Every structure is written in structure tokens, then in C-alpha cells.
Amino acid sequence: MMRIGVIGYGYWGPNVVRNFAELADAEVTVVSDDRPERLSEAQRRYPGIRVTTDALGLIADPAVDAVAIVTPVAFHFELASAALRAGKHVLVEKPIATTSDQASRLVDEAARRRLVLMVDHTFVYTGAVQKMRELVAGGELGDIHYYDSVRINLGLFQHDVDVLWDLAVHDLSIMDFVLAPQPVAVSATGLAHVAGRPKNIAYMTMFFDGPMIAHVHASWLAPVKVRRTLLGGSRRMIVFDDLEASEKIKVYDRGISVDPSPENVYQMLVGYRTGDMWAPKLALTEALQVEAAHFVDCVTRGARPQSDGESGLRVVRLLEAASASMQQHGRPVDIHGVTAA
Amino acid sequence: MMRIGVIGYGYWGPNVVRNFAELADAEVTVVSDDRPERLSEAQRRYPGIRVTTDALGLIADPAVDAVAIVTPVAFHFELASAALRAGKHVLVEKPIATTSDQASRLVDEAARRRLVLMVDHTFVYTGAVQKMRELVAGGELGDIHYYDSVRINLGLFQHDVDVLWDLAVHDLSIMDFVLAPQPVAVSATGLAHVAGRPKNIAYMTMFFDGPMIAHVHASWLAPVKVRRTLLGGSRRMIVFDDLEASEKIKVYDRGISVDPSPENVYQMLVGYRTGDMWAPKLALTEALQVEAAHFVDCVTRGARPQSDGESGLRVVRLLEAASASMQQHGRPVDIHGVTAA
Amino acid sequence: MMRIGVIGYGYWGPNVVRNFAELADAEVTVVSDDRPERLSEAQRRYPGIRVTTDALGLIADPAVDAVAIVTPVAFHFELASAALRAGKHVLVEKPIATTSDQASRLVDEAARRRLVLMVDHTFVYTGAVQKMRELVAGGELGDIHYYDSVRINLGLFQHDVDVLWDLAVHDLSIMDFVLAPQPVAVSATGLAHVAGRPKNIAYMTMFFDGPMIAHVHASWLAPVKVRRTLLGGSRRMIVFDDLEASEKIKVYDRGISVDPSPENVYQMLVGYRTGDMWAPKLALTEALQVEAAHFVDCVTRGARPQSDGESGLRVVRLLEAASASMQQHGRPVDIHGVTAA
Amino acid sequence: MMRIGVIGYGYWGPNVVRNFAELADAEVTVVSDDRPERLSEAQRRYPGIRVTTDALGLIADPAVDAVAIVTPVAFHFELASAALRAGKHVLVEKPIATTSDQASRLVDEAARRRLVLMVDHTFVYTGAVQKMRELVAGGELGDIHYYDSVRINLGLFQHDVDVLWDLAVHDLSIMDFVLAPQPVAVSATGLAHVAGRPKNIAYMTMFFDGPMIAHVHASWLAPVKVRRTLLGGSRRMIVFDDLEASEKIKVYDRGISVDPSPENVYQMLVGYRTGDMWAPKLALTEALQVEAAHFVDCVTRGARPQSDGESGLRVVRLLEAASASMQQHGRPVDIHGVTAA
């Protein structure tokens, strides 16, 4: 029976507690938050769980085998570092840290101590994204041409992070899980409509070594909610619409066909073909349930999580580069430390 | 009765001929094309119209008061220049020319000779875009925060122009008509998935003097067709979906509200509000019909068209800047000759 | 502080308990169910509420002012009768009873004892249906021409009631609330695809005294879920799509216009007109919350509920007539006891 | 080269002329209409076609091998009879005649003279309906449980026929083509909202020998246009949405599963299962093009058309029964002359 301590019981924390509590081979033993009213709420729903305002005490508690950190991102590094140094396995809310340097140090610390470090890239554990990875890995889409995502709504403006760190982070984690190649450069643009606040509309292009491109449009200032991702391959293309009640994933047997035979390039024919569309049945288990079980399983077996610390680091590197590019109105920024596949 | 000569009878030419032919105060007297089979088709449908393979002869024809140029863009400048020099009013297919220098010279030539020079920015004459302009000009949207457009489909790859010159040009012409301020810089990214061909996926951000941003996503490589534009203002926001059979324009009484009173910026509250949605009835007249009548009217009254040569020039300047930026992976490019409003 | 006893803690009971528990001027004092595991669940979530398997004991409990009956319909009459006889106000799940005779006797009993008898016609308390009633009562739609509803999905086949009593009951309660006239006759058709089971697809037409018609399509055997109601008036028409996240109600300024002037009927012109569409902002409060507060308010003030026993009776009369018609393949059945408005 | 004479050049006639004119092995030699302005229009578009106001002269013309009748339904019987008696093959607009007696006499006349009699059930020749028939015939759907169609819009009220004869006729022709069994009884309801005019809203249920049911909702008084048909089988279910630009046909791997093992019927489990959805690629050829070629082919080979006179007769029998039932508020009416499969 693995014993989990959860730090942070705000918006997302209750979901983390509930999903670990429902596992047969894990239990939540302590919950911490610095707001007493949140602890009362936790206590009311889970009379058997100890609550505390002392996060470092929770980390030091010998009755805790693993720590889930569900706080604002500013606290991720400090808390995760402390937990790893205390010999605890760690699950951190996304993004894993505020800088790639911090993320890198967490990865190193976990490796040195042979502890599991996992980042809560929730989308990775949805039936839809698992199916996308399966289709890409199985070659169903052919060569990947592009990833394009629109993730917009009328949303609460965040104090501490811009809209890329809040919304585009989901796409970066999906791309990291589904696609083999890594971006080598980023060009991002955006705007803060409220002076002195983080950017609330942003566009981010990612370049690769090879004929592939990725783009994310993230906004807190759209009149309608859109969650739509296109994934285009040479053989098939996917539309992933997360707002569809069912049929979230549609696979289109469509694409371009290039006839290289004509004598000169001007006559080269680029045609297109259309075939069936297919919406595979998807696993309906709550993503966080799958993720909690996976974390426990990785700790138990000493295995590497599907969303490990390295994936958290890669995502933060992209966000850092995007922020840098956005400051310079789209000037492309290389991703340091990346060796293209 | 104004006498029109139409150069080019390919995909769009028949629509131009039909719409001028249906006007009470205009007639199409000559059609030219260098493909005899296209001329046969024109002759079959319009036995009373003269056909010719000699475009320059058409321009010189004293029985022609105005010339509509509906050829590939490469021929626009030469033909429009010749027509203006021959004292003919000119309607040119979009984009008006292949370079801003050419466009500028056309504008100057028309001004010098006091001739009407109009570019076929067809969208400007749709009920939807006219309504958008009316709502913006009337202050219904408040301050404009952003313009965002997705214009994608699985389309024929063009030989001569990239996807921005083919598709984004529509958005640039809509923006030019609907919005008062002009972009001052551009950052664009894109990719050609077929080696040696024009870029088939492209993203284009436009910056303004002030808290406003615009973005266009254009693609010939999408499995589904999307034609959706968001226009966000401080009071209301518009969703323009051109694929809707009716209700192409939806006006949302939604937005953000900033409470500037709190003591420090971290406490400043940004809330959002939602109200009714409203889809105004739109004029259903075919855009090209409205446009043809407008051209005749401008010539008759010596008036300036809603899509005059200057608007054609401004659009080409943006496309030029986007192409330059795209070659440099998004490096921002200033729009020369622009003085922000 | 009004004290509520809730009988039945299955699918819907927990929602009833939660909504009464959240009211400031009411409290749930007892919950009964004959399944001990359901009582454990209730106890776990509400440690302060007494639980019992003895429904009649709950009814007799002096610490109970009002009883909410959330059991299968077969028990409604017996339990509601007992509660009324014990002097308790009663809220019954829909449909109010299995026969109009039973429903009628409940109405009489409540009237005799001056107790509140309310039926849980939940839809009546949604923002969407309240808005529909407001628009109809305010004359916005003009004369009502028709009500048409499709309420279908792939659903669990019920043991005890057919699809009209399970799904169409919602439409009948909406019609009863929104429309002034009452149906005078019913023609219904349907089929049971599993031998010996209640009908799982059904169609129900309702006739009125005057040029108005209503129809409901209910099914447990549809591959897609549809919840769409059309309400057509002489001035405007409504589309109510309950699956829309927002914009559940769309008001179309559309209709027919009859020109009675021509000399003979064959020349009489029936044209149609189209105008704006408008989606009013709707109250978002959970319907059951509004309903629970309304029940407490009616008891406190001695007022008549919007979904009173009579409305429950009228709905059951229609269901009875529909069942009779369905047995005879659509033969029309008069609604007894109805005097058209 | 088959020579066609077309009677009627109103709304649909030009489409018939165009499609026959485009065939390689047919030509339109004569067009008749009693409105001279329609003949001028025909002459303008087809200078080589003879035009006349004399329909009977057209029928008698030795330069006509086959006659297409595209007039109001009131003239179908007289003109088709005359054409058959003159030894001409006949294609008649739908419905084939105004009564089943007339339809029957046309069928007999054609049989006696060994002439092709075809009714213009256009939907039968669409890629979507051809695919539906292929899937049903191939057993992909399993046993058919139901056909349900909604065919509504804000439409022009007809003078001469009610909304079933105008719109439901499409569904009856689709059912006749796709489904093996024939309806044995009909219950229909409806209303005429304009006094003295044909019914403009109607509902029609069809019963079969066996656990299958069909229903059509037709209306000229809906604020939105809907063209959606559900076809439910024991193995799979189809949604046919004719307003979808692509993916008109969606095949859902969904249904109910009955577990007959439990001891008594009350415990019998009816579950449901959901699987993939699939939208097959459909042939995009214009239906009328397919139909015109099929007519010519049937005449040439002496073959029986897919929409032969008998199918026209069966459809009219259903419409007659529906009209009779509608007069009696839904009383079921048997289909005479039908022997269930």
C-alpha cells in the first residue's frame, strides 16, 4: 500500500486526492495547504486523512512514500527538490518548473537518487491522446506533416503565468508524447491586452529538422471555447476535438499525392485524395485515474513514467524559448540542448 | 451603358462576365483568353459577346470603356498598366500585383489619369463583411482587441503563389476594410511540404501601434474545411463562420472587465462577463453582383471604390512583408510606408 | 427551518438531498431507502442526517415537515397518500403517479388538507424553460403554431415504464408550463423491439382546439443523443437544444406571412420572412436548486407551486391517453376531463 | 443516340434537360412548356433544341424516343398515359400520379407495351442512398429496427399538394429502395395552419409485419432546415444528414444487446454497446446525372429501372393512406394490395 502526501488542495488538488484515494494499492495519508478553510473542506470529505499547513513537515513524514505537488508553479521547484532530497517519489503539477534550469536540476536529482519523478501532463493519459500516439506509432498517418492546435476560451486571466504556460503547455505535452521528433526552434507572438499583465493571446510556431511544422493558438479572450487539434500525415489526418461528447478523434483518409514524373517542376502534379472517415472508440476512464495508477505502478516497478521528468523539462524548454521569442515579436529562438532525431 | 472588356475566362472569369452582364447599365462587349476552348465556352453561353485571343487588342478597342483583368497574378501589372495608359478604368483580380512596387505604380498611374482602379477584394462586398464593418464603425464592439482567422482546407497546391497570397489575402482585404488601424509589422512562419513548391501551410501575425493583434492561419493541407474569423472587441466579439448556411455572423455580448481599483497590480481583478448572442440578418446578394454594380457606379460618378488601388497596395505590402518574414522563420518585418493611425 | 424527509436514495435522490441541504431555510433530517448500502453512502456524505429503511416511519416522524418521494413510480401514490394523510407537504418525483385516478386522488387529498403537493417537473425550473415561458407569455412568439420535440438516445431500457413515461414526460411538463391551451386528443404510435418489454420507440401527436399541434419523438434506441425542441409561433420561432453548452435557446425572427387579399384562394400568397436570430442569456442556477427553494417557499407562504399536483395530473392524463392510443396503432384518444381554454 | 422530349421547363425541368444533354448517348430534341418566357429561356441556353407550347405534339413527334414529364403532379397521369400510348418510354417527376389507381394504370400500360416507365425518385440515385442500400443488403446493419426521418424547413407553401406529398415522398422513395419489407399500415397526423390550404406540418408512422417501425416528420414551418434520417439495425445504426458537406452517412457500431438467460423477464438484461463510428466515402456524381444515364441504359437494354413504375405506385399508395389517416387524426389505415414480405 503506497502512502501519498498531497501538497495543495485548491482547484486541482481535490481531483488528485480523489483519484489516489480510489486506487486499491494506494492511500492518501496527508494533505497540506496553507489555507485552513481548504483543509477543513478536505477533512470534511476525507475524515480519515490527516491535514496540515506544514508542507515541509508532510515531506519529512515517514508515513509518506510519495508526494504529489499541486501548488502554483512558483513553488514546484522548491517543494519537489525537498521531496526528492527526502527520498520521496514525486508527481508535480504541470509545468514542472518555472525555468528549464530548475527542471533540469529536478531531473538530475531524481536520477541520482533513483526516484520516480513524474509531471502531471494529464492529457497524455486520455483515451484520445493515447489513441493518437498508437496511430502515429503504428504508421497509420504516414510521415507527420504538421500539428496545429487551437485552445481558446473566455477565461480567467492568470496572475503568474501567461497563456502559453497555462494553455499551450497541454499541446506541448501532447506533442511530446505523440510525436517522435523534437522542435529545434520556436517563433512566438502575443499580446497582453491588460497593461502589466501576462500575455493573454499567443501564437507559437515550432520548427523541426525536416518537413514538419507545429503551431498552437492559445487565448483567454475568445467568445467561444475551442479545443481543436489537427494532426496531418502523408497517409491520413486526424481532427481531435475535445469538446465533442463522443467521436473526439476523427481519422480522415485524406492527403495530397505528388506525381514526380512530369518533366519539369512547373508541371509536377500535386493532387489530393479523399476517402473514408473513421472515429475509433476511445477508452473512457478518467485521465487522472489512469495517471494515478501509472504513477503507483512506476514507483512499484521502478519504471519510467510516460510523462517523466525529462518530458517536463522538454516542455519547459519550449515554453522558455517561446517567451523569449514573444518578447522579440516572433524572432526565432533555437531550442538549446536539443539534438534532432 | 458602360462597356466592359474581360481578360481571362478561366475559373473566376465566367462569374465576372455573368455579373456584369446582369447589370442594367453595363454590358460585356469583349472577352479574351489565350485558350481557344475557353473562348468557345464563352461564345456558347454569350453568343452576343465578341471573343479574342488578343488581350492588348481588347484593351485598345474603342468599344471598351473599362477592363476587368481576371488572369494569373503574374500578368496583372502589365495588363493593368496597359489598360490605364489606354485610358480605361480597371478592375483587377486580387492580389492587385506581385510586388508593392508594381501596385504602387498602378495606383500612381490611375491617379494621374483620374481613372478608377479597383481590386477585386470580393469578401468586402459580402453581407457578412459589410455588417462587420458597420458594427465596428458604429462602436458596437468597443475597442478592437484582435482579429484571428483560420482559412484552411484540402486544396489544390498552386504553382505560382504560396498559400498566404492565395488564401490569407482574403483576410488582409477584410481587415483593411473593417479595421481602422494598419499593421506596422509582420511575423510569419510556414512550410512547403512538397520540395520546390510554394509554402502550403502558413501562419501570419500582424502587430499594430496599440494593444491589438491579428493572426491568419492559411493551409492547403487540412482534412476539413474551416473558414472562421474571430473579431474581439472590448464590448462585444464576433464569430464569422463563412461555412454556416445562415447565421454567418454571431455577435457575442462577452468580454473581460478590468477592475483597476485594487491597491496593487497583483490584486487587480480581471473578470469576464457573458450576455446574449445575436445573429443579425445579412444581405444575401451575391458579392460579385454588388461589386460589379459598385465598379460601374464609381466610374459613372468618378468616386473612389471601397476596394481601391490603395487597398490593393496595402494588402500586397503585407503579403510581401510576410513572405520576407517567412523566409527568416518569423523574424518580424516592418511595414514600410505605413504611418500608424 | 423546514425539515425534509427524503424517501429514496438511488440515482436522483442524492441530488434532491444535496439541493435541500444547501438551502439556508431547510434541512434534510431523515433519508430512507430499503437498500442498506445506499443508506451507508448517504450516511458517509451526510453524517448529520438520520437514515432508515422504514419509509412509513419517516413519514410519521414529527421531526419531518415535508416529504420528498424519489422512488420508482409504482410507489408514488401509496407514499404520497400516506404523507398527505400524516399532514406532511409532499414533493413527488415525476410522473406523479401511474394512473390519472391516483393522481386525481392525491390532488384532492392535498386540497382537502391545504397541503402543498408538488411534482418534480425539473425542466420547468431550468433557465431555458423559464425563458421560453416568459417569451410566450409576453407575446414575443405571437400565436403558437406547434411544439415539436425529439428526445432520443441509446439508453437503458426500463423495466416498469415505456419510453413515453420515461422521456416524453419531460416534454409534457414543459408544454404544460409554457403553453396556455391543453391538448384535447392524442394519437400515439410505438414499438417494443424486445418482446415482452415496454415500448422503446414512440411518437405522440397532441391535438388542440385551434390551429396548433404538438409532437414528441422519444426513443431509447438512437445511435446519437438528441434533445431538441421547436416552438413555432406566428411572429417568432424557438429552437431549444439542451445539448448546447451555451445558447440553448435560439429565437428566430422567422415565420410565414399570409396575404389574404387575392381574389381566390388559389392565388392567396403564403410567403415567408427571415430576420435576426437571438440567443438570450439564460439563468445558470441548477434547476433542482431553484425547485427546492420554490418548494420551501410555497410551503412557507402557502402558495401554489409552478409544478403543482394538477400539472402532475394533466401530464399523467396525457400519458394514459397516449398509452391507450399506442395500443391501437394511433387511433386518436380524447383527453377526458379537459375543457379547452 | 436516344432522343428525349422534355415536358415542363419550370424549376426542375432545366436540371433534367441539362443532365440528358450532357450524356454521350442521348440528346434532348424538344422542350415544351405553356409559358413562352420559359421557352425563351430554354432556347437561349440551348439554341439547338426545338421548343413548343404543344405538349401533345411533342409526344407525337417521331423524333422523340422517350418523354420526360416535369410538370405539376396534376398533369402526370394524362401526359404519361398519352406518351405510353404513343409508344414512348417515360420518365415522370415524383410522385408518379395523384392516386394509386392512376399509378396502377400507368404501370399496366407500360407493361402491356413493354415500355420503360421510370419515376424520378432522385434520392435513390445519390451516393448516400446507394450506400445505405448496399450496407442494408450486405447485412452490415443486421435486422432493421426502424427508419426515422426529419425533413423540415421554412418553405414555400404549395397550392396543390400537402407537405407529405411534397417532402415525405422523398423518404418513402428512399425506404422503398433501401428496405426489403413494405409497410402494412399507416397512421398520420398533421395540421394546416393556413385555413383552406394543404397541411403544412405532418407526422407519418408506418407499421410493418414484424418488429420494425418507420416515421417521417415533414414541415414547411420550421425555423431551421433539417434533413436527417436515422436507420437503426440490430448490429449497426446509420445517421444520414443530407446537409453535411461531406460525411453525409455515419455508421455507428452501436446497438442494444439482450441477454435472454435470466430466469424471468423482469430480470432480462438489455444492455447497450458502443464502438467505432465510420463515414464511408460516397460517390459524388450528381444524382440526376446517374439517373438520366440509368434511364437511357434501361431503355437501351430493356431493363427495369431501380425506380420503376411499381415503386412509384407503392409510394403513392402510402401517401394516399397517410392522407386518409390524417383526415381521421391518426386512425390507422391499412395499405391495400400489400402482401408483407
Side-chain angles (χ1 to χ4, degrees), chain D residues 238-260:
Chain D
I238 286 176
V239 176
F240 166 31
D241 187 337
D242 201 30
L243 302 187
E244 286 274 334
S246 53
E247 294 138 47
K248 287 177 188 291
I249 293 280
K250 291 181 180 163
V251 184
Y252 291 85
D253 184 14
R254 292 182 189 171
I256 56 167
S257 57
V258 181
D259 177 355

Side-chain angles (χ1 to χ4, degrees), chain B:
Chain B
M1 181 65 73
M2 201 175 117
R3 298 165 302 172
I4 318 275
V6 177
I7 303 178
Y9 199 77
Y11 167 69
W12 192 240
N15 294 323
V16 172
V17 172
R18 173 170 54 79
N19 277 286
F20 275 113
E22 286 174 2
L23 292 180
D25 49 359
E27 62 181 329
V28 177
T29 47
V30 203
V31 167
S32 81
D33 200 294
D34 48 15
R35 295 160 295 183
E37 70 278 14
R38 295 307 302 156
L39 293 180
S40 301
E41 173 62 18
Q43 195 69 88
R44 195 185 66 74
R45 294 193 55 182
Y46 301 97
I49 294 180
R50 186 166 75 81
V51 299
T52 174
T53 54
D54 177 11
L56 295 179
L58 178 152
I59 286 171
D61 190 336
V64 165
D65 302 313
V67 175
I69 299 166
V70 202
T71 66
V73 63
F75 304 102
H76 287 185
F77 174 68
E78 181 191 9
L79 292 167
S81 296
L84 291 169
R85 287 195 307 265
K88 307 300 166 80
H89 303 283
V90 171
L91 171 65
V92 199
E93 183 49 29
K94 55 87 191 160
I96 195 171
T98 53
T99 68
S100 61
D101 179 62
Q102 289 179 347
S104 190
R105 285 157 65 190
L106 291 178
V107 167
D108 292 346
E109 186 74 35
R112 184 157 45 238
R113 296 176 182 271
R114 300 178 182 276
L115 292 168
V116 170
L117 172 63
M118 177 162 150
V119 59
D120 177 18
H121 288 167
T122 319
F123 265 100
V124 159
Y125 301 96
T126 58
V129 173
Q130 295 267 340
K131 176 63 73 176
M132 285 170 77
R133 176 174 156 121
E134 175 193 321
L135 292 169
V136 169
E140 294 289 323
L141 302 198
D143 299 328
I144 302 303
H145 284 329
Y146 65 88
Y147 177 100
D148 178 274
S149 197
V150 177
R151 196 172 294 275
I152 63 177
N153 54 264
L154 195 61
L156 284 179
F157 282 52
Q158 306 288 319
H159 287 282
D160 50 346
V161 294
D162 68 30
V163 72
L164 289 180
W165 289 72
D166 180 47
L167 292 180
V169 62
H170 292 300
D171 289 295
L172 303 184
S173 70
I174 293 171
M175 289 172 55
D176 189 78
F177 183 63
V178 170
L179 305 176
Q182 292 292 324
V184 296
V186 170
S187 163
T189 55
L191 193 63
H193 286 91
V194 180
R197 302 286 291 214
K199 290 188 167 54
N200 53 285
I201 291 188
Y203 303 95
M204 178 176 176
T205 298
M206 282 155 279
F207 301 98
F208 296 78
D209 271 345
M212 179 174 160
I213 193 168
H215 188 268
V216 179
H217 169 203
S219 172
W220 294 325
L221 197 56
V224 289
K225 184 173 184 175
V226 180
R227 293 285 183 272
R228 191 172 53 192
T229 303
L230 308 178
L231 182 58
S234 56
R235 295 187 57 215
R236 291 199 186 82
M237 301 186 185
I238 286 176
V239 176
F240 166 30
D241 187 338
D242 201 30
L243 302 187
E244 286 275 334
S246 51
E247 294 137 47
K248 286 177 188 292
I249 294 280
K250 291 182 180 162
V251 184
Y252 290 85
D253 184 13
R254 293 185 187 167
I256 56 166
S257 57
V258 182
D259 178 355
S261 61
E263 300 84 62
N264 66 57
V265 71
Y266 290 107
Q267 292 175 2
M268 184 173 66
L269 290 174
V270 181
Y272 55 94
R273 56 180 178 70
T274 67
D276 293 358
M277 182 270 275
W278 167 65
K281 182 181 179 179
L282 301 177
L284 295 176
T285 316
E286 184 181 356
L288 198 44
Q289 184 65 35
V290 176
E291 182 180 340
H294 181 59
F295 179 66
V296 171
D297 184 58
C298 286
V299 168
T300 307
R301 297 191 298 108
R304 174 173 293 276
Q306 291 190 300
S307 57
D308 61 4
E310 277 81 353
S311 68
L313 166 59
R314 289 190 296 267
V315 165
V316 168
R317 268 202 198 110
L318 288 171
L319 290 170
E320 258 183 352
S323 292
S325 177
M326 205 151 46
Q327 289 306 109
Q328 300 167 83
H329 299 89
R331 195 183 66 77
V333 171
D334 287 343
I335 307 299
H336 297 300
V338 167
T339 309

Side-chain angles (χ1 to χ4, degrees), chain A residues 72-126:
Chain A
V73 64
F75 305 101
H76 287 186
F77 175 68
E78 182 190 9
L79 292 168
S81 295
L84 291 169
R85 286 195 307 265
K88 308 298 166 80
H89 304 283
V90 171
L91 172 65
V92 200
E93 183 48 30
K94 56 85 194 163
I96 195 170
T98 52
T99 67
S100 60
D101 179 61
Q102 289 179 347
S104 189
R105 285 156 66 189
L106 292 178
V107 167
D108 291 346
E109 187 74 33
R112 184 158 44 240
R113 295 177 183 271
R114 300 180 182 275
L115 292 167
V116 169
L117 172 64
M118 177 161 150
V119 60
D120 178 18
H121 288 167
T122 319
F123 265 100
V124 159
Y125 301 96
T126 58

Side-chain angles (χ1 to χ4, degrees), chain C residues 145-146 148 157 159 189 191 193-194 197 201 203 205 211-212 215 217 221-223 254 256 266 268 329-330 332, chain D residues 145-146 148 157 159 189 191 193 197 201 203 205 207 211-212 215 217 221-223 254 256 266 268 329-330 332:
Chain C
H145 284 330
Y146 66 87
D148 177 275
F157 282 53
H159 288 282
T189 55
L191 193 63
H193 286 92
V194 180
R197 303 284 292 215
I201 291 189
Y203 303 95
T205 299
M212 177 173 161
H215 188 268
H217 171 204
L221 197 56
R254 292 183 189 170
I256 55 166
Y266 290 107
M268 184 172 65
H329 299 90
Chain D
H145 284 330
Y146 65 87
D148 178 275
F157 281 52
H159 288 281
T189 56
L191 193 62
H193 286 91
R197 301 285 291 213
I201 291 189
Y203 303 95
T205 299
F207 301 99
M212 178 173 162
H215 187 268
H217 170 204
L221 197 56
R254 292 182 189 171
I256 56 167
Y266 290 107
M268 184 173 66
H329 298 88

